[in-house]
Amino acid sequence: MRGKVKTIETRSYFENTSLAIAVVIAIGCSGFFLARLVDDSIRQTQLAEERQDVSEDVFNIASSIEQRFAFYEFVSIALSAAVEIDPDLDQDTFSTLVSPFFLTDPGILNLALETDWRISHVFPVEENRSVLGLDYREIEAQRQIISRMRETGQPLLAGPSSLIQGKEGLIYRTPIRPAADSNEQSFPRSIAVVSTMASFLDLATQNADGLRIGLAFGNASQSEAPQTYGYVAQPEDDPIQKSVDVAGRAITISAVPELGWGGRTSVTASVYWIAFAAIIVVCGLLFWARSIAIERRRSWQQLSDAIEAIDDGFALYDPDDRLVLCNSRYKSLYSRSAHLMVPGAKFRDIIWGGVVAGQYADAVGREEEWFAERMAAHENPTVSMEQKLNDRWLKISEACLDDGSRVGFRVDITSLKDAQHQAEAANQAKTDFLNTMSHEIRTPLSAIIGFSNVLKNAESLPAVKALEGAVSEDKGKSKVENVVSMFREYASRIDANGQHLLAIINDILYWNDMGSSDRPLTRDVIPVDRILTSTMNQLSGLAVEKGLTMTYESIDTFVEGDPVRLQQVMVNLVGNALKFTKTGAVTLSAQAIDGTVEISVRDTGPGIPHEHLGNIFDSFYQVESGLDRNYNGSGLGLAISKDIVEKHNGQISVESTVGKGSVFRVSLPEYECAEQAA
Ligand code: ADP
């Protein structure tokens, strides 16, 4: 890890606090103005709806007033017709005729028939008896109206005015045409329908809840100031108005809401609350997004710093194989192509740039071929590989991520490689030394063994025979025999030790070559029985010497392999069994199991402690170690045996119980054409 890591700052606009506050203020103002616009729009719509509703109410009131006067007209026409038919109809008949109209309109105060300026008939009679015979000419206002009516021959509406009965009311007066056979040119009679002003006000206000209603009675030419009832229209109120023309009068209905226009609007608060809530939510979301962005930037920063802090080269390429990021170490390792390592650069361009710059030692002279191999390895990154640059060695590890991105590590293994080369050179020197020394030792050793064999048969030597011939006395002959016998014994010891030394040297030579393929195995078909018999023949003498029973049990089948090496394995195993067993027996047996020949060497020796069983096939491993060992040996026998067996596609294993003995098992593939071989 390097001490100080350069941090690259990548702050975003999101992290600017002043900007964030400005954005919040802007959102707040926009929200407020938007709410205002919505509020205005809703108000306009509601005002239009409200005016429409009031217009409908005013229209209905106007219709009711028109209907009422239409009814009065109908009543007047009906009575006119009755009077025309019976000009002399009496009060009772008049009462009978008009009484139904009172039921239809309870607002009618009375109905009167005027004949030659006087009230000749009235209904209801009792309440209005006082007006019977009243002369209208004595009441100036009535006289003017009746005069005008007689001039125009049209109905006239009088009032509102105080009635003789004490109430305020309206009088709808209709002239009755003179009889057809009369010479009368004027209208000597008229019908008066008298209704209370209160009933009209009721009519105007009965279906106008929440409204202020006003009625203004003017003349049709609007030449006089109108008489007003209820609400008096003011221009600033912007009232809804409608005029109804009735018998020379204009009745104007004016209406405004009691609470004023827009008074029933209740959305303002809700709109502003909704706007406020929306502003809070939007600002909240913005702050949330801001905190995520800041957190992301910090995580990215942390990751970049961590990558920068790695002592090895690191690079990340996106799914399009374009550089996303790499640390400075990566660039320093590839100094000749570092200038190409910018975010967005393609991997292949960076590599090819390095090839052109002569950065890769192995690519020199075979650039395109090397580039193709490198790209293929990059496309399918499976195992790590080593790359030789001009001045160093790198270990390259690349991996594909789920989204197709690639990460790559570059570890500088130059010192490891140097150490490896040194170790290989040292190992080669050791191998060469061992081979040379072994051969150098074997040559004189062969001579020693050869001459010891000659000495073992010293009595056959011509010099000894000549000496025996020269010695005539028995005493002298016996001394010569003693000398020969001594030579034989010493020669036997020299031979045995020479053989032992030769075996050790052979083992060392084999072990030295174990990793190499310099000594290939032969492939012969060998009867299993032959291997066991040869082993018995070679080692039965030793068993006899040690007083051990040695038996074998063979089978009639074959294995394929190198007879010398397989024999070496069996001699190793049986030799160990005889060496470590003091009393009892050594048993060799073979059996065929499912295409495998299993040869067992069983002894009644000391056994091997459980904790050593996993190691005894390792080179130079011995249960008893040190110079005070009871048994001689190099510790290579089992390692060599394992190597030979495995080279024959077999397995070697051991089972052992301390104090009872051991069983070594060698499993070899049975020769498939055993019958043919037999
Ligand atoms: P060595 O030359 O010492 O016999 P080996 O490789 O043949 O070397 O054996 C390794 C070790 O395994 C021996 O030193 C001994 O401790 C143990 N060993 C091998 N065979 C037997 C056996 N039959 N009985 C007990 N110990 C054994």
Side-chain angles (χ1 to χ4, degrees):
M1 298 281 276
R2 275 158 296 154
K4 180 122 176 84
V5 176
K6 202 176 113 200
T7 299
I8 307 151
E9 285 289 326
T10 52
R11 278 180 188 280
S12 68
Y13 288 120
F14 257 123
E15 290 178 61
N16 187 325
T17 310
S18 313
L19 186 65
I21 292 171
V23 168
V24 168
I25 292 171
I27 290 172
C29 291
S30 311
F32 175 76
F33 283 118
L34 201 65
R36 208 183 159 135
L37 278 177
V38 171
D39 183 42
D40 280 353
S41 163
I42 292 174
R43 275 174 181 283
Q44 293 298 329
T45 309
Q46 288 190 340
L47 187 60
E49 284 173 3
E50 194 176 19
R51 288 188 76 86
Q52 179 66 29
D53 290 349
V54 174
S55 295
E56 282 173 17
D57 289 345
V58 168
F59 180 82
N60 288 337
I61 293 167
S63 295
S64 302
I65 291 172
E66 279 176 339
Q67 278 173 16
R68 178 163 285 194
F69 282 106
F71 179 65
Y72 292 172
E73 190 183 359
F74 164 74
V75 170
S76 301
I77 289 168
L79 280 178
S80 296
V83 171
E84 276 177 38
I85 294 165
D86 182 7
D88 301 323
L89 86 169
D90 57 15
Q91 175 63 47
D92 290 343
T93 311
F94 181 79
S95 296
T96 309
L97 276 172
V98 302
S99 62
F101 299 131
F102 280 77
L103 296 174
T104 308
D105 184 353
I108 299 175
L109 192 63
N110 64 53
L111 270 159
L113 176 63
E114 172 256 344
T115 310
D116 289 333
W117 297 98
R118 289 177 187 281
I119 297 174
S120 55
H121 299 71
V122 70
F123 184 86
V125 182
E126 286 310 314
E127 291 87 336
N128 300 288
R129 194 171 291 281
S130 60
V131 299
L132 273 173
L134 180 79
D135 189 341
Y136 284 125
R137 284 168 297 194
E138 292 169 5
I139 305 166
E140 182 54 24
Q142 294 297 329
R143 190 191 65 76
Q144 283 181 12
I145 289 170
I146 293 170
S147 295
R148 201 153 19 107
M149 181 193 68
R150 287 188 170 186
E151 282 164 22
T152 60
Q154 293 298 321
L156 275 179
L157 177 65
S161 56
S162 296
L163 301 171
I164 297 165
Q165 291 84 347
K167 295 180 179 172
E168 198 167 20
L170 292 167
I171 304 169
Y172 182 82
R173 206 175 284 282
T174 309
I176 301 173
R177 281 179 291 141
D181 53 351
S182 145
N183 293 328
E184 197 91 48
Q185 290 300 309
S186 181
F187 297 87
R189 306 185 91 174
S190 65
I191 303 289
V193 180
V194 181
S195 54
T196 59
M197 196 55 217
S199 73
F200 271 91
L201 289 175
D202 284 351
L203 189 68
T205 56
Q206 65 187 354
N207 289 320
D209 289 346
L211 293 180
R212 293 162 70 196
I213 304 290
L215 294 178
F217 292 80
N219 56 1
S221 59
Q222 303 283 335
S223 55
E224 294 169 12
Q227 286 176 265
T228 54
Y229 291 85
Y231 163 70
V232 179
Q234 304 294 331
E236 62 269 23
D237 290 347
D238 194 14
I240 301 289
Q241 290 185 310
K242 181 163 177 59
S243 289
V244 178
D245 290 334
V246 180
R249 302 298 302 272
I251 305 171
T252 304
I253 304 126
S254 302
V256 289
E258 280 175 356
L259 301 174
W261 294 114
R264 74 182 190 191
T265 306
S266 59
V267 294
T268 305
S270 337
V271 167
Y272 284 99
W273 273 117
I274 289 169
F276 180 68
I279 290 168
I280 296 288
V281 168
V282 170
C283 289
L285 285 174
L286 273 177
F287 272 93
W288 178 65
R290 181 173 181 263
S291 66
I292 287 178
I294 291 172
E295 194 48 47
R296 238 185 102 176
R297 207 263 313 156
R298 283 193 189 139
S299 304
W300 179 255
Q301 192 68 58
Q302 208 173 20
L303 180 68
S304 304
D305 292 350
I307 288 169
E308 191 58 27
I310 300 171
D311 209 17
D312 301 320
F314 175 88
L316 173 66
Y317 288 86
D318 70 11
D320 287 337
D321 223 8
R322 290 180 185 280
L323 184 67
V324 178
L325 61 88
C326 67
N327 61 7
S328 331
R329 180 69 174 144
Y330 188 80
K331 289 184 178 175
S332 73
L333 289 173
Y334 295 109
S335 54
R336 293 192 191 181
S337 55
H339 64 285
L340 300 171
M341 294 169 187
V342 288
K346 283 221 129 202
F347 177 81
R348 60 184 308 115
D349 296 339
I350 295 171
I351 295 294
W352 183 247
V355 171
V356 171
Q359 183 165 245
Y360 308 103
D362 292 342
V364 177
R366 51 186 291 273
E367 284 78 5
E368 299 213 339
E369 205 182 326
W370 183 92
F371 178 70
E373 287 165 12
R374 178 68 189 95
M375 288 310 295
H378 177 69
E379 304 284 292
N380 299 302
T382 45
V383 285
S384 58
M385 59 182 188
E386 292 176 354
Q387 188 177 68
K388 191 170 186 304
L389 303 182
N390 289 322
D391 53 351
R392 67 183 80 208
W393 277 90
L394 299 184
K395 183 176 170 194
I396 297 180
S397 305
E398 290 182 341
C400 252
L401 305 184
D402 284 348
D403 68 344
S405 304
R406 282 181 170 77
V407 284
F409 269 97
R410 305 290 185 272
V411 181
D412 190 340
I413 54 166
T414 311
S415 51
L416 273 178
K417 271 287 182 189
D418 289 348
Q420 184 190 341
H421 289 149
Q422 283 170 11
E424 280 171 3
N427 194 42
Q428 188 57 46
K430 177 216 72 177
T431 304
D432 294 347
F433 170 77
L434 276 177
N435 282 337
T436 311
M437 289 309 292
S438 302
H439 283 107
E440 287 303 314
I441 294 168
R442 264 210 307 197
T443 311
L445 192 58
S446 299
I448 291 169
I449 291 169
F451 282 113
S452 68
N453 278 322
V454 172
L455 282 181
K456 276 198 310 194
N457 299 309
E459 67 275 10
S460 321
L461 290 172
V464 174
K465 282 184 179 166
L467 186 59
E468 276 180 338
V471 178
S472 52
E473 295 169 31
D474 287 348
K475 203 174 171 186
K477 280 189 181 176
S478 112
K479 281 192 177 169
V480 170
E481 274 175 21
N482 283 344
V483 171
V484 168
S485 164
M486 195 180 69
F487 277 179
R488 192 181 300 122
E489 189 194 329
Y490 288 164
S492 292
R493 286 190 194 172
I494 291 169
D495 182 45
N497 283 290
Q499 292 291 353
H500 182 62
L501 191 56
L502 187 61
I504 288 174
I505 288 169
N506 283 337
D507 278 354
I508 289 173
L509 274 176
Y510 183 92
W511 171 80
N512 203 29
D513 288 345
M514 235 155 60
S516 79
S517 53
D518 286 356
R519 293 194 192 183
L521 297 172
T522 59
R523 284 271 163 209
D524 296 345
V525 177
I526 318 158
V528 174
D529 183 54
R530 192 202 295 164
I531 301 173
L532 299 193
T533 314
S534 307
T535 310
M536 284 294 291
N537 290 342
Q538 195 174 332
L539 296 173
S540 56
L542 186 57
V544 172
E545 267 178 39
K546 287 193 74 173
L548 297 171
T549 312
M550 191 168 160
T551 56
Y552 90 99
E553 195 180 309
S554 185
I555 50 168
D556 189 16
T557 190
F558 300 82
V559 291
E560 192 181 17
D562 188 326
V564 176
R565 293 295 167 209
L566 291 178
Q567 180 71 32
Q568 185 180 348
V569 171
M570 294 316 298
V571 169
N572 269 339
L573 298 180
V574 177
N576 277 348
L578 293 171
K579 181 166 71 177
F580 292 107
T581 306
K582 286 193 175 131
T583 55
V586 173
T587 312
L588 270 92
S589 62
Q591 55 179 332
I593 311 165
D594 296 335
T596 305
V597 174
E598 187 184 277
I599 304 171
S600 311
V601 179
R602 186 182 297 272
D603 65 50
T604 54
I608 302 165
H610 187 259
E611 64 272 21
H612 293 284
L613 287 176
N615 301 102
I616 57 167
F617 293 100
D618 296 344
S619 300
F620 304 109
Y621 193 88
Q622 293 175 315
V623 175
E624 276 193 336
S625 56
L627 295 174
D628 53 347
R629 286 185 289 134
N630 292 319
Y631 308 98
N632 57 22
S634 62
L636 283 174
L638 288 181
I640 291 170
S641 299
K642 183 170 187 269
D643 182 71
I644 293 172
V645 170
E646 285 177 354
K647 280 180 177 158
H648 282 80
N649 301 321
Q651 285 178 335
I652 187 166
S653 60
V654 62
E655 247 178 66
S656 187
T657 311
V658 174
K660 291 196 170 172
S662 312
V663 187
F664 283 84
R665 292 192 178 86
V666 172
S667 301
L668 295 167
E670 187 176 11
Y671 181 62
E672 282 176 2
C673 306
E675 285 177 21
Q676 196 184 331

